[in-house]
Amino acid sequence: MRITVTVDGTQYTDDVEPRLLLVHYLRDRLGKVGTVVGCDTSNCGACTVLLDDRSVKSCSVLAVQADGHSVTTVEGLAENGNLHPVQEAFREKHALQCGFCTPGMIMATIDLLSENSDPSDEDVRHGLEGNLCRCTGYQNIVAAARDAAQRLRENPAATEEAAR
Amino acid sequence: MTSTVDPTTDEGVGESELGRARRRKEDEHLITGRTRWTDNIVLPGMLHAAILRSPVAHARITGLDVSEARGKPGVVAVYTGADLAEEQGSLPCAWPITEDMKTPNAPALAVDTVRFAGEAVAVVVARSPYEAHDALDSIDVDYEDLPVVLDLETAARDGDLVHPDLGTNVSATWVFDSAEAGSGGDVEDAIRDAEVIVERTFRQQRLIPAFMEPRSVVVDPTASQITMWSATQVPHVLKLMLAMTLGLPEHKLRVIAPDVGGGFGGKLQVTPEEVLTLLIARRLHKPVKYTETRSESMLAAHHGRDQVQKLTLAARRDGTVTGLKVELLADMGAYLRLVTPGVPILGAFMFNGIYKFGSYRFACTNVFTNKVPTDAYRGAGRPEATFAIERIMDELAVELSMDPLELREKNWIEHEEFPFDTVAGLTYDSGNYEAATAKARELFDYDELRREQAERRERNDPVQLGLGVSTFTEMCGLAPSRVLGSLSYGAGGWEHAAIRMLPTGKVEVVTGSSAHGQGHETAWSQIVADRLGIPFDDIEILHGDTQSSPRGLDTYGSRSLAVGGIAVVKAAEKVVAKARPIAAHLLECSEDDLDFEAGQFRVKGTAKSVGLTDVALAVFAAHDLPDGVEPNLDSEATYDPDNFSFPHGTHLCAIEVDTETGHARIRKYVCVDDVGHVVNPLIVEGQVHGGLAQGIAQALYEEAVHDESGTLLSSSFAEYLLPTAVDLPPFVTDRTDTPAPGNPLGVKGVGEAGTIASTPAVVNAVLDAVRPFGVTDVEMPCTPMRIWHALRDARGGTK
């Protein structure tokens, strides 16, 4: 099947098998290897991307379902060397160790903050429940999400820019 | 307060880089997705392998037909065990703990018998991963079931055998006896003379390391050297073992561990998948990639723990412990992997914990079962040991109606007694259990929580409060090589570092310690910045590639900083020593008149100075060097410590147990760890957090469960419960600082502390909550179902 997808601002048209998963399309066809595969049961969230600005686990979406839509991966966040506020917060708060869950965690956090601009610790923990991390014990991820929320509130322009 | 290190301020900022909460150098590429995971690697003409795995735990393969699969679209080749029988050898075990240890042949691809569900039976190589996986369905295998041996205690008594050719399921027995070793008395005497004896049997459930990045391996055989990329913790060990196992010339192999997404001991291995990918790539003369699925990872990557521990503790009525006897059964699984037999031995030296009782006997029996092999998992032996001693100390406290902290204080090694020769034959380097415990007690508000607990008990609150105590020490910094040798481990434990002074004054540091999330690039940069006075950002750390870093023994057992970091210090000292005569020559003074500080050689008492970077450029130009001086400031150093290092700490957990549902919720978790001096408090705290998550998970959530046929039921993240952000509490962490006397940084190691200490803290808390109802034990993980059943049984079967 022929699909047209905008990924990180660039439009791609490709013939794909109907069964091809979005995550494999991103990784193997487009070389967007920043998005990773951590499990085969949609439990870990490592492959989370934004599909039309809402987070999805790209291992549970077929590439053909993304036809006509836009996808944002972790590689599309930083612009001109400027990190997204969520990326900045993850670095500042030491919210990653091995970094494998991090792209998915960052994408899930962006979606969470788009719904709730000032989440409590509990809100963040519930909001990120679908993303597993084996290194951090989550505490610094929670701190990073709240720090990012503050950065975004203080600089709404960054929010809008990030959304584009 | 949930954190003692505020990442928004640079704690300890001063003249020294050491102790400073530097943001990690590693993070930029990881948060922007510019990562180098093994599975990201794409090579021209690369093929993809997929593995057919046994669905049964023990069977003879009576038929294996791959002809249809060979004709499937995109399929290039299909291999069976028979195809590779002659060249695959046996997967290595580097730790023969006894001379008569039974070591079964361990093929990477099963030849005629499968011995655990998940064992590799055939390999398909195709143009794409999808095509390779499609073709697996076309392979026809006939299995003739054999008796499945699963239960550890039954297996130990033999009967049905995992390896009939060995004639037994017992791989080895290993004993330490303090009377024989001369480190203490005879434990049977202590038991005979005891006023109180506590006997308990604890079960360490089987755990799955569950690193987030599934294992992946790419082999490129097309150049003169074969290059292997692998998601491994141990590129150097892997290279050596592949060479020795497969008869591959060592100089013809290069192993690269690029970004590695976690390990926790689970990637301290020479895997069947690495061997198979290498053999296949070599046969096909094409690059081949194999990346496991998560379910395959759970089935076929090694598991951890899985022991039954029978303890007998002897004591006096006043609480003084006089002896401990440990009889341990350890599940090896179906084969011995790299360090499988040694894991219980690592625990043998830690069963006495922080205590100074007079007699000790440890005996373990390593047993084969029809399950995937066990091997290292975060802490490897030490969490198991610490759990056992900390649980039974609580049982003794209950028996004597003593406060558990008071009982520990009565028995622990006091600050002024260090260095201390333990009954298990180690010399603990330093410690201050009093200080860590006092601090933890205060942060926890122990007395207030005890008051609340009494009130809840008094009013029969359906939600009861339990307080759990855990004190611990562990041996980090594995090395020393001579000790590892005395335990029959096949390799040393030293670590290597090299420093390359570049002409522009920048520095490349080569480390044999191969990181997978620990932040070596940041910490090693801080060490070199401190020792050489070179700016932090002017330092690059090279690791994880046996070509750029030819010598090393990799990363496990919290050895990186205490061994690898010290090698970096030694290499830096050599750079300064080499630069000194050149600086003296440039400044026209005697070497003795030079001070070196903050990157500058300065003539004592004058303003005349020359920077190390200037010396580096002068050395490169080599226009004006002292006679006979080699134009080179590069250095290398290999460090092998004299002793282990012994971090310690006190962990306190408050848990609320709903006695009507069995649900346990951690309300407060406080830990004070003493890991000696700290290079980067941000990294240290992160390591503690992650360790706590894994230790708490053993207490409450995680377990590899098999059905009676040996099928792994917890073979995905849907059934194997890694804790989520919702399941874990905020942690209150703090530190005391008792430096390691044995190394120039005073560092001890931190990676395993949280995991080791937290499991008994949580389980002790659960039991403390439900003891008034007559519950005396709850097996791990303490799920709501198990707690509820324990309460029901204690209440006489009625609710």
Side-chain angles (χ1 to χ4, degrees), chain B residues 3-58:
Chain B
S3 167
T4 52
V5 177
D6 179 358
T8 58
T9 63
D10 278 347
E11 178 186 288
V13 171
E15 291 183 3
S16 174
E17 275 283 344
L18 302 181
R20 182 171 174 172
R22 277 276 192 192
R23 301 306 169 282
R24 294 200 322 171
K25 284 187 167 184
E26 289 85 345
D27 290 354
E28 179 143 356
H29 81 286
L30 296 171
I31 57 179
T32 52
R34 297 197 309 273
T35 40
R36 303 158 299 162
W37 312 113
T38 300
D39 190 45
N40 293 1
I41 289 165
V42 177
L43 299 173
M46 188 172 78
L47 301 171
H48 298 266
I51 293 177
L52 183 74
R53 298 186 177 279
S54 169
V56 293
H58 196 192

Side-chain angles (χ1 to χ4, degrees), chain A residues 19 21 24 27 33-34 36 38-40 74 87 91-94 96-98 100 125 134-136 138-139, chain B residues 2 8 23-24 31 33 37 39-40 130 134 208-209 264 293-295 682 686 689-690 702 723 725 728 731:
Chain A
R19 64 171 175 164
L21 297 174
H24 291 141
R27 286 179 55 80
V33 293
V36 295
C39 74
D40 39 48
V74 71
Q87 291 173 311
R91 182 169 64 182
E92 195 63 29
K93 295 294 185 185
H94 186 33
L96 60 147
Q97 288 179 34
C98 82
F100 195 78
R125 286 182 184 273
R134 193 59 157 169
C135 295
T136 65
Y138 301 105
Q139 183 152 326
Chain B
T2 58
T8 58
R23 301 306 169 282
R24 294 200 322 171
I31 57 179
W37 312 113
D39 190 45
N40 293 1
Y130 277 55
D134 283 347
I208 300 179
F264 315 111
T293 64
R294 174 59 54 184
S295 301
L682 203 62
H689 286 177
E702 294 183 23
L728 293 173
F731 309 120

Side-chain angles (χ1 to χ4, degrees), chain A residues 74 77 84 86-87 90 96 101-111 131, chain B residues 30-32:
Chain A
V74 71
L77 295 179
H84 186 284
V86 174
Q87 291 173 311
F90 267 64
L96 60 147
C101 76
T102 307
M105 207 59 95
I106 286 174
M107 303 316 284
T109 302
I110 289 171
D111 190 20
N131 290 66
Chain B
L30 296 171
I31 57 179
T32 52

Side-chain angles (χ1 to χ4, degrees), chain B residues 717-739:
Chain B
F717 283 150
E719 298 96 4
Y720 188 82
L721 300 182
L722 249 58
T724 71
V726 173
D727 300 315
L728 293 173
F731 309 120
V732 180
T733 63
D734 208 335
R735 295 194 311 271
T736 51
D737 182 356
T738 310

Side-chain angles (χ1 to χ4, degrees), chain A residues 17-18 24 41 56 76 90 103 139 152:
Chain A
E17 277 191 78
H24 291 141
T41 48
V56 295
F90 267 64
Q139 183 152 326
L152 287 164

Side-chain angles (χ1 to χ4, degrees), chain B residues 323-629:
Chain B
L324 173 69
K325 183 165 79 170
V326 179
E327 294 162 277
L328 189 147
L329 287 176
D331 192 338
M332 304 286 98
Y335 302 101
L336 303 179
R337 295 283 193 248
L338 193 64
V339 300
T340 304
V343 171
I345 311 299
L346 282 171
F349 302 98
M350 293 275 97
F351 270 89
N352 60 305
I354 64 167
Y355 310 114
K356 55 183 177 187
F357 47 77
S359 62
Y360 172 55
R361 181 181 163 85
F362 169 95
C364 76
T365 306
N366 287 355
V367 180
F368 294 115
T369 62
N370 289 116
K371 284 173 267 180
V372 72
T374 54
D375 204 298
Y377 172 54
R378 203 166 190 168
R382 291 149 287 177
E384 296 92 316
T386 302
F387 178 85
I389 184 68
E390 289 304 291
R391 278 284 297 110
I392 205 161
M393 286 299 279
D394 261 34
E395 296 297 318
L396 177 63
V398 170
E399 176 77 26
L400 300 174
S401 300
M402 279 179 82
D403 179 272
L405 280 173
E406 189 189 335
L407 179 70
R408 283 163 174 82
E409 187 173 355
K410 184 145 195 98
N411 287 286
W412 69 34
I413 302 156
E414 287 167 30
H415 180 48
E416 57 272 15
E417 294 178 279
F418 289 93
F420 185 87
D421 295 332
T422 76
V423 74
L426 296 176
T427 302
Y428 287 178
D429 58 351
S430 63
N432 190 338
Y433 308 144
E434 299 93 321
T437 303
K439 201 168 192 176
R441 191 183 174 115
E442 189 187 333
L443 285 170
F444 191 66
D445 211 353
Y446 187 79
D447 296 335
E448 177 53 36
L449 284 166
R450 281 281 180 220
R451 267 193 292 279
E452 184 189 328
Q453 177 185 48
E455 282 168 20
R456 283 188 189 238
R457 285 179 180 176
E458 182 67 27
R459 65 169 188 263
N460 286 322
D461 194 320
V463 178
Q464 287 290 313
L465 182 66
L467 306 187
V469 174
S470 167
T471 49
F472 84 104
T473 185
E474 63 155 326
M475 49 181 190
C476 286
L478 315 175
S481 297
R482 64 181 163 76
V483 177
L484 298 180
S486 73
L487 295 173
S488 310
Y489 177 59
W494 48 264
E495 196 48 84
H496 179 263
I499 293 181
R500 303 204 285 249
M501 291 296 300
L502 305 178
T504 55
K506 314 292 186 198
V507 178
E508 289 174 344
V509 180
V510 176
T511 176
S513 187
S514 181
H516 42 285
Q518 293 89 345
H520 288 21
E521 292 175 31
T522 304
W524 278 211
S525 294
Q526 289 180 266
I527 292 169
V528 173
D530 175 76
R531 287 301 201 258
L532 295 185
I534 302 285
F536 176 78
D537 290 328
D538 287 351
I539 299 161
E540 189 70 17
I541 310 298
L542 307 176
H543 62 90
D545 180 344
T546 61
Q547 185 160 292
S548 62
S549 160
R551 299 188 204 298
L553 285 162
D554 308 314
T555 290
Y556 51 87
S558 291
R559 65 191 298 277
S560 292
L561 185 57
V563 188
I566 307 305
V568 173
V569 170
K570 301 283 180 190
E573 287 169 355
K574 287 186 179 177
V575 168
V576 175
K578 274 179 138 179
R580 183 178 293 275
I582 302 166
H585 176 75
L586 294 173
L587 291 166
E588 298 177 326
C589 69
S590 153
E591 281 183 55
D592 298 338
D593 290 339
L594 284 180
D595 286 330
F596 180 73
E597 200 182 333
Q600 296 287 316
F601 288 99
R602 189 176 302 281
V603 183
K604 286 175 186 164
T606 77
K608 281 176 66 181
S609 70
V610 62
L612 182 62
T613 58
D614 300 321
V615 177
L617 185 59
V619 164
F620 172 75
H623 296 159
D624 179 23
L625 297 179
D627 290 342
V629 165

